[in-house]
């Protein structure tokens, strides 16, 4: 085959390069089109709540520099407050979904007991709990509990699914090598479930971010990005509202992206899926 | 070591009736013997092996390893699976060490034993590879090493080369004979390939269609290595194949017309 000599060394793969390039070009084209349309509309409509992209970009950077007097903090403080709530809710969800999911997957009676409860509460959107959670748990733990619910259910489902999808031959093999139920769980079922847990975490993170904004909009103390969005809208500073939305998008992309990266690495490493 | 199977019966519940999978299966496997169990698909040959392994419960009858009745899985019986059943998150080394970890063998000793068997199956240099990095034949070499590392008295192999391509399969058969010669293990080997049984076994047990029982036992005293192209080999194959074909054509008897034993 006559080909680029560099290809032999794996330095240049023409097909892959072109495929990647196509993807990049279309990606950039989509964003450029979106910004151009947005800009056009903002000029044409001339409405306060459709600020031009450059105003939003300006607001985005300003929000990090300038302390909002009534909130007593700048965007960094809001991010910190949101991340804190998010982190606590997330860790609690992980700490509960993991053991409950593993037990439900592994022990039939536990599954029969917990399943009706899970099926009863799962369909209720986490946000629907906001009012009552604020009342019961207060302005700090209320939003945290909403995040908790948002992360808990998708994570739980994935853990249970992981345990139930363990290959029977792996269990048989372990048993023929003398594994009892406890070693079976420790050495086969739990490691097998790890990639499924990671998938649950990725999904849970995405849903968690959706919940935090809603939770903070209703009530939050000590700032928060969701609260910031709501506040900016209420005082008519729409460009700052959009800046807050952009921050949420970046936080979401960031955490889900990291989680997705870890998930892919793990899947390859574990050879599962 | 002697493996004695007496009047083994296995029934499965099926809707409101019972399906008799195995009926009065009798077999004695002698020390260091290589026995192939051959039968039409669905005759219960894998079920027999799984009962010997302790992975399934028998309905009645007796299976004894020396004088001990088998009731569940144990390290005195090692098993090799058609699906390889390697732990994907463990390296070759760690897969082979699995049973030794359960036996609480100290780490240094584990390494030494694992290395010995990895070398035996010809995988030296692949200790730190993960299963997904190995070909099918290599995976099954790990499966064999892993089963042997526990030093079982009998090696149970459930169509171990069934998932391999023809060339790899032939190679693995030769490798198994070499490993057997070096380890002197007693082997019970399930297959549906007449050729494979003729090539490997000291005795070939041909089973009836469902409900499975021993139909005929062929003793093969041709010395190893056997020549697949020889007249003797062809004749043997022909005889066994004829016996087997009769069962395939007869097909499994349905639960309704199988003899009932209340």
């Amino acid at each position: 085959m006559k080909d680029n000599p560099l290809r032999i060394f794996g330095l240049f793969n023409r097909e892959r390069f072109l495929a990647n390039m196509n993807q990049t070009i279309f990606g950039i084209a989509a964003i450029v089109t979106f910004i151009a349309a947005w800009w056009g509309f903002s000029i044409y409509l001339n409405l306060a709540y459709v600020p031009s992209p450059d105003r939003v970009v300006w607001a985005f950077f300003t929000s990090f520099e300038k302390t909002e007097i009534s909130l007593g903090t700048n965007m960094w403080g809001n991010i910190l407050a949101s991340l804190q709530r998010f982190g606590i809710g997330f860790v609690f969800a992980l700490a509960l979904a993991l053991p409950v999911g593993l037990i439900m997957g592994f022990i039939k009676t536990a599954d029969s007991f917990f399943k009706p409860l899970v099926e009863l509460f799962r369909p209720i959107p986490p946000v629907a709990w906001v009012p009552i959670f604020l009342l019961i748990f207060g302005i700090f733990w209320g939003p945290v509990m909403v995040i908790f619910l948002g992360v808990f259910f998708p994570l739980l489902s994935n853990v249970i699914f992981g345990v139930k999808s363990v290959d029977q031959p792996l269990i048989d093999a372990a048993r023929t090598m003398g594994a009892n139920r406890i070693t079976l769980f420790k050495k086969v079922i739990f490691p097998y479930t790890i990639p499924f847990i990671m998938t649950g975490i990725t999904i849970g993170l995405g849903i968690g971010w959706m919940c935090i904004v809603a939770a903070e909009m209703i009530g939050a103390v000590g700032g928060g990005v969701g609260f910031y969005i709501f506040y900016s809208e209420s005082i008519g500073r729409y460009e700052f509202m959009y800046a807050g939305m952009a921050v949420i998008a970046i936080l979401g992309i960031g955490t889900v992206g990291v989680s997705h990266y870890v998930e892919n690495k793990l899947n390859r490493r574990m050879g599962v899926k | 070591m002697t493996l004695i199977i007496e009047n083994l019966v296995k029934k499965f519940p099926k809707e409101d009736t019972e399906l008799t999978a195995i009926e009065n299966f009798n077999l004695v496997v002698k020390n260091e013997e290589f026995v192939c169990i051959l039968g039409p698909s669905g005759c219960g040959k894998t079920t027999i092996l799984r009962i010997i392994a302790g992975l399934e419960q028998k309905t009645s009858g007796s299976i004894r390893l020396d004088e001990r009745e088998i009731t569940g899985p144990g390290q005195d019986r090692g098993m090799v699976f058609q699906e390889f059943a390697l732990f994907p998150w463990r390296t070759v080394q760690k897969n082979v060490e699995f049973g030794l970890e359960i036996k609480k063998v100290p780490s240094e000793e584990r390494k030494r034993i694992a290395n010995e068997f990895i070398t035996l199956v010809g995988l030296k240099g692949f200790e730190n590879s993960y299963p997904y990095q190995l070909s099918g034949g290599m995976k099954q070499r790990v499966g064999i090493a892993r089963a042997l590392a526990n030093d079982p008295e009998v090696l149970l192999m459930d169509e171990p080369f069934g998932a391999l391509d023809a060339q790899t399969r032939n190679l693995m058969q030769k490798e198994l004979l070499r490993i057997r010669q070096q380890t002197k293990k007693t082997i019970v080997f399930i297959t549906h390939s007449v050729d494979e049984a003729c090539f490997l076994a000291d005795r070939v047990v041909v089973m009836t269609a469902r409900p499975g029982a021993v139909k005929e036992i062929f003793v093969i005293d041709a010395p190893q290595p056997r020549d697949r192209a020889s007249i003797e080999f062809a004749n043997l194959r022909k005889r066994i194949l004829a016996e087997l074909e009769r069962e395939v054509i007869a097909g499994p008897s349905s639960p309704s017309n199988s003899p009932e034993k209340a």
Side-chain angles (χ1 to χ4, degrees):
Chain A
M1 215 176 13
K2 273 192 286 181
D3 218 323
N4 191 321
L6 283 175
R7 187 174 180 168
I8 299 162
F9 304 104
L11 293 173
F12 186 74
N13 181 328
R14 194 159 171 270
E15 283 78 23
R16 192 182 304 164
F17 179 75
L18 284 179
N20 280 346
M21 187 125 115
N22 261 345
Q23 216 172 7
T24 316
I25 289 170
F26 279 112
I28 291 169
I31 291 167
V32 167
T33 311
F34 169 70
I35 290 174
W38 174 7
W39 215 311
F41 273 115
S42 72
I43 292 166
Y44 174 73
L45 294 169
N46 194 24
L47 289 167
Y49 52 80
V50 191
S52 62
D54 62 319
R55 288 292 297 164
V56 174
V57 171
W58 167 81
F60 181 87
F61 288 109
T62 309
S63 70
F64 280 92
E65 284 163 12
K66 228 180 82 214
T67 300
E68 193 67 52
I69 312 265
S70 51
L71 296 176
T73 179
N74 60 13
M75 188 59 89
W76 291 116
N78 289 317
I79 290 175
L80 201 70
S82 287
L83 276 177
Q84 203 176 20
R85 284 188 196 103
F86 190 90
I88 296 171
F90 178 80
V91 168
F92 276 14
L94 193 65
L96 193 66
L98 222 55
V100 172
L102 289 170
I103 291 167
M104 279 179 74
F106 195 51
I107 303 168
K108 261 224 166 74
T109 29
D111 190 51
S112 313
F113 180 79
F114 285 116
K115 205 174 179 189
L117 295 176
V118 171
E119 293 307 319
L120 186 66
F121 285 100
R122 199 210 321 254
I124 304 173
V127 179
W129 292 98
V130 171
I132 188 69
F133 278 1
L134 283 176
L135 202 65
I136 301 171
F137 300 110
I139 40 180
F140 179 76
W141 290 101
V144 167
M145 289 303 292
V146 177
I147 315 282
F148 166 83
L149 277 184
V151 179
F152 179 77
F153 285 109
L155 192 50
L156 182 75
S157 306
N158 271 278
V159 176
I160 296 171
F161 179 70
V163 176
K164 289 194 170 166
S165 50
V166 179
D167 284 337
Q168 188 60 40
L170 293 185
I171 294 177
D172 289 344
R175 289 181 64 205
T176 60
M177 285 182 279
N180 58 23
R181 252 172 101 76
I182 293 165
T183 21
L184 195 63
F185 185 80
K186 272 201 315 207
K187 287 184 188 284
V188 181
I189 290 167
F190 183 65
Y192 192 94
T193 315
I194 291 172
F196 292 86
I197 296 171
M198 261 335 283
T199 306
I201 287 175
T202 309
I203 298 169
L205 284 173
I207 296 176
W209 282 115
M210 288 182 203
C211 295
I212 196 164
V213 178
E216 287 180 349
M217 277 179 179
I218 296 172
V221 69
V225 185
F227 186 65
Y228 179 87
I229 294 169
F230 181 70
Y231 170 77
S232 302
E233 191 273 339
S234 70
I235 60 167
R237 291 166 61 185
Y238 298 107
E239 60 269 40
F240 287 93
M241 178 190 78
Y242 287 113
M245 289 164 66
V247 169
I248 290 284
I250 291 166
L251 289 175
I253 292 168
T255 46
V256 173
V258 168
S259 168
H260 207 69
Y261 176 79
V262 174
E263 188 188 337
N264 282 340
K265 277 261 147 141
L266 258 175
N267 280 349
R268 206 162 314 153
R269 170 74 194 273
M270 312 271 292
V272 181
K273 284 202 264 190
Chain B
M1 197 271 358
T2 321
L3 178 71
I4 301 166
I5 307 171
E6 267 175 4
N7 298 324
L8 182 70
V9 175
K10 176 71 182 177
K11 292 178 181 182
F12 290 107
K14 192 189 180 190
E15 284 146 26
D16 49 353
T17 154
E18 268 183 335
L19 181 73
T20 309
I22 298 158
E23 186 150 281
N24 291 326
F25 185 91
N26 289 286
L27 184 69
V28 176
V29 181
K30 294 182 292 261
N31 198 28
E32 293 185 22
E33 197 180 18
F34 195 140
V35 173
C36 270
I37 299 178
L38 187 68
S41 63
C43 72
K45 52 192 189 294
T46 290
T47 307
I48 289 174
L49 200 73
R50 288 177 63 84
I51 296 174
I52 300 172
L55 292 172
E56 270 180 58
Q57 295 299 317
K58 58 185 182 266
T59 305
S60 67
S62 163
I63 301 183
R64 295 189 302 277
L65 193 57
D66 294 325
E67 284 316 303
R68 283 164 290 127
E69 183 73 32
I70 288 169
T71 51
Q75 292 203 333
D76 49 356
R77 286 146 289 145
M79 186 145 169
V80 178
F81 298 82
Q82 182 178 6
E83 310 88 343
F84 316 129
L86 302 182
F87 304 112
W89 55 88
R90 284 176 167 247
T91 59
V92 167
Q93 170 100 27
K94 290 284 170 192
N95 262 286
V96 177
E97 285 184 19
F98 190 91
L100 302 167
E101 279 176 26
I102 288 173
K103 260 200 274 190
K104 303 236 175 346
V105 175
S107 155
E108 284 305 304
E109 181 75 356
R110 274 203 320 254
K111 265 195 197 124
R112 190 190 60 72
I113 296 171
N115 278 324
E116 181 189 320
F117 286 98
I118 288 168
T119 309
L120 175 75
V121 299
L123 280 182
K124 206 169 169 52
F126 290 94
E127 291 88 347
N128 296 317
S129 301
Y130 284 90
Y132 75 92
Q133 296 169 312
L134 306 177
S135 68
M138 289 161 91
K139 281 182 192 163
Q140 201 55 296
R141 285 171 194 261
V142 181
I144 294 169
R146 188 176 65 174
L148 288 174
N150 287 324
D151 194 23
E153 290 181 41
V154 53
L155 190 60
L156 308 172
M157 307 185 83
D158 183 16
E159 302 196 31
F161 309 142
L164 305 177
D165 63 80
Q167 275 74 32
T168 312
R169 199 177 167 136
N170 285 355
L171 174 66
M172 288 302 290
Q173 289 164 359
K174 283 186 195 143
E175 284 289 279
L176 179 61
L177 289 174
R178 175 184 64 76
I179 290 164
R180 179 214 180 186
Q181 205 175 23
Q182 281 174 261
T183 58
K184 306 280 180 218
K185 287 290 172 197
T186 309
I187 300 174
V188 181
F189 189 108
I190 303 291
T191 181
H192 57 250
S193 158
V194 177
D195 178 83
E196 187 165 66
C198 293
F199 189 73
L200 294 172
D202 300 328
R203 279 193 299 157
V204 178
V205 177
V206 177
M207 287 182 67
T208 60
R210 198 171 60 222
V214 176
K215 181 177 171 68
E216 180 93 57
I217 295 180
F218 292 85
V219 178
I220 309 176
D221 38 25
Q224 295 285 5
R226 289 173 192 157
D227 179 9
R228 280 198 160 88
S230 70
I231 303 279
E232 294 80 11
F233 196 87
N235 283 338
L236 182 67
R237 265 182 57 174
K238 203 170 160 186
R239 272 168 56 213
I240 296 179
L241 202 57
E243 202 63 53
L244 190 63
E245 259 175 3
R246 233 167 291 158
E247 284 305 314
V248 175
I249 290 163
S253 52
S254 62
S256 55
N257 60 26
S258 70
E260 287 295 325
K261 278 191 166 181

